[in-house]
Amino acid sequence: MTQPRILSFTRSWKFSSPGESKVAILFFYSCTFLWGYPTYLFWIMPLSLNTLWNAHATFLLGNALMWFLFLKASMMNPGLLPQHTDEYYQAIRQVDYLNYWEEGKILLPRLCHECHLVKPLRAKHCRIINRCVSGFDHYCPFIYNSVGYRNRPYFVGFLTTMCLNSVVGIYLCWNWFNVMGRSIFIGIGFLFLSVIATTSAMMTSLCVYMAAVNLTTAECFKTTKYAYLLDHQGKFFNPFDRGIILNFMEFLHTIKPLTEEELKKAELTLV
Ligand SMILES: [Zn+2]
């Protein structure tokens, strides 16, 4: 039976699975645009623009940069892989003839039966957007997009500038208290910014750490799930770690990731 449209709409906006729910994104951006920026423009700015012009300049430039990075991370292709590839159908035709322990064990986990493709190393199927994404990191409801190889630097830049802007915002609120005294209205803003600053600082630190060691979020939290992150004894081993400088260069797309052939040459276990 078809769901009534209103019920379907409510479920899709409020009660869908955590990754699909739009409640977090709606709450966050409503607070920011309907309350945060008006408070800044009409209360904070008139009070301290002349005395703390450098803090205001940092805040305004930081916000412009943050929304640019947000739009890039949110709207760009995160690394969607082509669907219905010949390679997949060829592999499917060969499945019956594979020796499971030698070839099937390697090939079968790499087949995506949703997208009909053979997943490259580090690609994963995102169940929210229902597509395989190259270098899949995670799905982020706040940018309403998957984070993958292509948009990951923009996503981390968005988090970093969000943290910076929150810290400057906290400083401007603190200045308000010193000049004007207590205010519940500014106090709530102070608390909101403190939560955002703490959360974004923790997430930025984690993302920078993962970039430094060349792991994605998906890999970092499930190291034993992926066979390509295990050595011959079954212990964790990261074949992508090229040292901190090269890892950051790869993260920023100034050098290309190692190909599977290059990794194989290094006699590494790939699945
Ligand atoms: Zn897929």
Side-chain angles (χ1 to χ4, degrees):
M1 195 171 72
T2 314
Q3 284 183 341
R5 276 187 77 172
I6 186 72
L7 183 61
S8 169
F9 177 83
T10 309
R11 281 199 176 145
S12 115
W13 277 79
K14 288 176 69 182
F15 302 115
S16 40
S17 65
E20 294 168 329
S21 173
K22 299 168 190 73
V23 170
I25 192 173
L26 272 181
F27 176 75
F28 179 75
Y29 294 117
S30 301
C31 285
T32 304
F33 283 100
L34 299 178
W35 184 76
Y37 284 133
T39 304
Y40 172 73
L41 284 175
F42 298 114
W43 288 49
I44 306 274
M45 202 184 217
L47 179 75
S48 56
L49 183 61
N50 291 331
T51 52
L52 299 174
W53 64 268
N54 46 357
H56 284 278
T58 307
F59 186 74
L60 291 169
L61 286 172
N63 271 270
L65 182 60
M66 179 181 80
W67 290 116
F68 167 76
L69 293 164
F70 166 81
L71 288 173
K72 288 289 284 184
S74 178
M75 299 180 79
M76 76 185 289
N77 176 341
L80 301 178
L81 291 163
Q83 297 172 294
H84 308 287
T85 62
D86 292 340
E87 194 186 5
Y88 171 83
Y89 295 109
Q90 203 173 9
I92 287 293
R93 282 194 293 273
Q94 291 172 350
V95 162
D96 288 344
Y97 307 102
L98 292 176
N99 177 331
Y100 177 77
W101 292 107
E102 288 176 9
E103 298 160 303
K105 199 178 173 188
I106 294 173
L107 179 66
L108 293 178
R110 297 183 68 167
L111 298 179
C112 176
H113 303 299
E114 297 284 338
C115 303
H116 293 182
L117 62 85
V118 181
K119 288 181 283 187
L121 203 62
R122 309 189 92 177
K124 289 167 187 65
H125 184 84
C126 174
R127 62 183 178 81
I128 308 295
I129 62 170
N130 202 28
R131 287 288 297 270
C132 275
V133 179
S134 169
F136 178 72
D137 194 85
H138 69 291
Y139 178 85
C140 176
F142 288 99
I143 64 163
Y144 206 50
N145 196 5
S146 291
V147 179
Y149 173 74
R150 293 189 67 208
N151 65 346
R152 198 168 159 223
Y154 296 101
F155 174 75
V156 177
F158 169 59
L159 282 179
T160 308
T161 47
M162 183 191 287
C163 182
L164 170 77
N165 295 332
S166 303
V167 170
V168 178
I170 289 168
Y171 172 66
L172 292 172
C173 288
W174 189 255
N175 178 69
W176 168 279
F177 297 139
N178 286 333
V179 176
M180 302 295 285
R182 291 179 188 172
S183 160
I184 291 178
F185 197 63
I186 303 296
I188 293 171
F190 183 85
L191 285 176
F192 179 73
L193 286 169
S194 301
V195 171
I196 300 297
T198 308
T199 312
S200 55
M202 288 166 64
M203 290 175 71
T204 303
S205 306
L206 183 61
C207 287
V208 170
Y209 164 75
M210 289 189 294
V213 296
N214 203 338
L215 283 176
T216 63
T217 304
E219 292 164 348
C220 192
F221 288 99
K222 291 180 180 172
T223 49
T224 54
K225 181 181 175 183
Y226 304 110
Y228 60 78
L229 291 176
L230 301 175
D231 65 13
H232 294 291
Q233 280 84 44
K235 291 179 183 169
F236 171 71
F237 172 74
N238 181 4
F240 311 107
D241 189 354
R242 307 159 79 176
I244 188 165
I245 293 173
L246 291 180
N247 287 343
F248 272 119
M249 289 172 73
E250 186 180 319
F251 173 77
L252 295 170
H253 299 173
T254 53
I255 57 170
K256 289 186 176 176
L258 293 172
T259 63
E260 294 192 32
E261 287 68 32
E262 286 169 328
L263 289 163
K264 275 176 186 167
K265 273 184 195 166
E267 297 182 330
L268 301 168
T269 310
L270 298 178
V271 175

